[in-house]
Amino acid sequence: MLRLFKIGILLLTWLNLSICHAQTPNEQINILSDDFDKSPPFYHKIPERLLSTDTSPAFDEKGQKILLTGTVYKTDGKTPASNIVLYYYQTDPSGVYAIKEDEERNMPKNKLGQTHGYIRGWLRTDELGSYSIYTIKPGSYPSRDEPAHIHVTIKEEKIPEPYYIDDFVFDNDPLLTSEKRKRLKNRGGSGIIQFIRKDSIWVGTRDIILGLNIPKYE
């Protein structure tokens, strides 16, 4: 009986391992973290193929259309960095990380009630280090304690973990006070955007320098 019991345990262990290894990469990256502070959902629903231009799911919805574009540079600030993945997420015009279940990129709330909503996306810089994001201008949080912003995270090939850089913030935002400007860390360079209007879209340029002002960057 003891021998049969041991064989049963071995079979269960093998079955569990087989199930884990049988998961496809897509199934693994679609597992939502229980705590975004400990494990940010950078890879949640990430597409297999990324381009240097991305259009957010909200671009055709009501709101001010914007284009955020620029060049990602290597640490010398001069050499364009290709094949760098950028992940962004933002609020809707009312300042909420909105959920829209019928959108492919939608992120439901986790156990702690955290979500990045559905206005989110990924890009991969081209051979010139260029990127472009077509989206709508986010609103500030309903509490009005922070300027409107778009979060950005960087993933480099030779660095295991993604790291965040300064948010995109907007120079004409009345909530971007002089005190808040002084507290900006300039991670990756300044994230303050000045818009130029072109027809019905506002265009803002931001260049990014890898590793700049990132603690313990190697």
Side-chain angles (χ1 to χ4, degrees):
M1 290 293 293
L2 180 60
R3 184 184 178 190
L4 289 174
F5 177 76
K6 290 181 177 179
I7 291 173
I9 293 295
L10 289 172
L11 285 172
L12 285 173
T13 302
W14 175 84
L15 181 60
N16 287 333
L17 289 172
S18 297
I19 291 172
C20 290
H21 288 301
Q23 282 186 319
T24 66
N26 284 339
E27 288 173 334
Q28 292 173 347
I29 63 177
N30 284 331
I31 296 174
L32 193 60
S33 168
D34 289 339
D35 187 345
F36 291 0
D37 293 330
K38 294 179 180 178
S39 180
F42 181 92
Y43 296 103
H44 184 71
K45 294 188 176 181
I46 186 171
E48 292 184 5
R49 182 169 178 262
L50 303 179
L51 304 176
S52 60
T53 297
D54 186 71
T55 301
S56 87
F59 185 68
D60 291 329
E61 298 177 4
K62 186 177 180 180
Q64 175 59 57
K65 291 175 172 31
I66 61 174
L67 166 60
L68 303 172
T69 187
T71 302
V72 177
Y73 292 101
K74 295 183 179 181
T75 54
D76 62 8
K78 298 178 181 179
T79 308
S82 63
N83 208 32
I84 303 298
V85 177
L86 282 71
Y87 168 61
Y88 70 92
Y89 68 97
Q90 64 172 88
T91 66
D92 65 12
S94 68
V96 174
Y97 294 107
I99 291 175
K100 201 171 185 180
E101 293 182 359
D102 60 348
E103 285 290 349
E104 186 176 352
R105 302 183 191 184
N106 181 63
M107 181 185 293
K109 291 183 179 180
N110 67 3
K111 294 179 180 179
L112 299 179
Q114 300 166 318
T115 182
H116 290 179
Y118 74 95
I119 311 177
R120 51 196 292 267
W122 299 260
L123 310 94
R124 188 186 300 276
T125 57
D126 61 19
E127 64 277 5
L128 299 177
S130 300
Y131 73 91
S132 296
I133 302 170
Y134 289 87
T135 186
I136 59 172
K137 193 170 183 290
S140 58
Y141 296 148
S143 60
R144 302 285 292 173
D145 58 350
E146 291 292 337
H149 55 277
I150 297 176
H151 298 283
V152 193
T153 306
I154 297 285
K155 176 65 178 71
E156 300 183 44
E157 286 184 289
K158 296 182 180 180
I159 296 181
E161 296 299 326
Y163 59 88
Y164 73 91
I165 60 175
D166 270 21
D167 301 332
F168 288 96
V169 291
F170 311 108
D171 191 50
N172 61 352
D173 190 334
L175 294 179
L176 187 61
T177 62
S178 57
E179 185 61 34
K180 282 188 167 62
R181 290 171 191 259
K182 290 177 183 177
R183 288 194 298 232
L184 295 174
K185 303 296 185 182
N186 289 330
R187 293 172 62 105
S190 174
I192 300 176
I193 298 297
Q194 294 181 341
F195 283 113
I196 297 175
R197 186 164 188 143
K198 294 184 179 179
D199 298 323
S200 62
I201 193 168
W202 291 353
V203 181
T205 300
R206 176 192 185 178
D207 293 336
I208 297 167
I209 301 177
L210 298 175
L212 182 63
N213 298 321
I214 305 297
K216 300 180 181 180
Y217 179 85
E218 296 180 4

